Amino acid sequence: MLRRLALTAVVSLAALATAVPASTASGSVSSGSVSSGSTSSGSTSSGSTSSGPVPSAVPTTGPFAAARPSLGPLPLPVPPLPGFLDGGEGKGTGEVSEVLTRLTVSVENTGVAGADGTFELECGPTGGSHPQGQAACDRLAEAGATRAGRQELFRPTPEGTMCTMIHGGDASARIVGTWEGRAVDTTASRRDGCEIARWNSLVPVLPDVR
């Protein structure tokens, strides 16, 4: 009798061991399946959880892959400011390529060798045929650095000014062009004290004939 009971118990345990894995597998599959358009109960069988990777909701390959933003071109350097934004000086963050000072200086009757003639003068950078180009540009820059210099350098002697009757020679000159972007058209001579002082203030744009 005891042997029979023992044999029956062994057979029951074997059958139970075979049934448990099958039920676990079927419960894991049924928790995520969809039947006839309806969602299953969604409960996890036997408390098991999936340990595999979670699929991404956004495809990363194929024709439906999401577009990834590109870095695009590098930003360009900031261009120089126009003259009306940087205080009217005509200079921005970079160098100005246009020459703002370009003068034609015509001189005659100086009595100094090589001083008479017509010469071109450019500043920023220095150029032209003027025999003392760099020194002349320095003088113009010095005068342009002050308000009084900008107003007086090429200004003719006002009418009615009392001038000493000193004759400084027959030299005469005319200067035409642009100076720091401003139009210039003036003449100079050495016929009296006022004109002599004015001529001397323009040296070395004009030749030194003292």
Side-chain angles (χ1 to χ4, degrees), residues 15-75:
L16 181 61
T18 304
V20 168
S23 63
T24 302
S26 62
S28 299
V29 175
S30 63
S31 63
S33 62
V34 179
S35 176
S36 301
S38 63
T39 308
S40 66
S41 63
S43 62
T44 305
S45 300
S46 303
S48 63
T49 58
S50 175
S51 61
V54 179
S56 173
V58 180
T60 58
T61 59
F64 298 101
R68 297 184 180 181
S70 60
L71 294 178
L74 295 175

Side-chain angles (χ1 to χ4, degrees), residues 178-202:
T178 56
W179 173 46
E180 296 187 354
R182 293 182 288 270
V184 173
D185 188 351
T186 189
T187 58
S189 69
R190 300 180 65 83
R191 67 176 180 264
D192 57 36
C194 294
E195 286 298 295
I196 291 173
R198 184 163 174 265
W199 182 291
N200 293 341
S201 72
L202 286 166

Side-chain angles (χ1 to χ4, degrees), residues 36-185:
S36 301
S38 63
T39 308
S40 66
S41 63
S43 62
T44 305
S45 300
S46 303
S48 63
T49 58
S50 175
S51 61
V54 179
S56 173
V58 180
T60 58
T61 59
F64 298 101
R68 297 184 180 181
S70 60
L71 294 178
L74 295 175
L76 297 176
V78 179
L81 292 174
F84 66 89
L85 292 179
D86 63 0
E89 296 296 329
K91 300 177 182 178
T93 57
E95 295 294 329
V96 179
S97 59
E98 182 181 359
V99 177
L100 298 179
T101 296
R102 181 181 287 110
L103 300 173
T104 300
V105 182
S106 300
V107 183
E108 59 184 7
N109 301 324
T110 62
V112 178
D116 291 358
T118 299
F119 310 100
E120 301 296 329
L121 175 64
E122 294 181 359
C123 301
T126 303
S129 59
H130 196 285
Q132 300 185 63
Q134 186 58 58
C137 287
D138 292 343
R139 175 67 186 107
L140 294 175
E142 179 186 11
T146 64
R147 182 176 180 180
R150 291 191 297 270
Q151 292 177 344
E152 300 295 333
L153 184 63
F154 291 109
R155 182 183 179 185
T157 303
E159 292 289 337
T161 302
M162 298 295 293
C163 302
T164 57
M165 301 302 294
I166 301 176
H167 184 67
D170 296 329
S172 63
R174 184 180 182 184
I175 303 174
V176 180
T178 56
W179 173 46
E180 296 187 354
R182 293 182 288 270
V184 173
D185 188 351

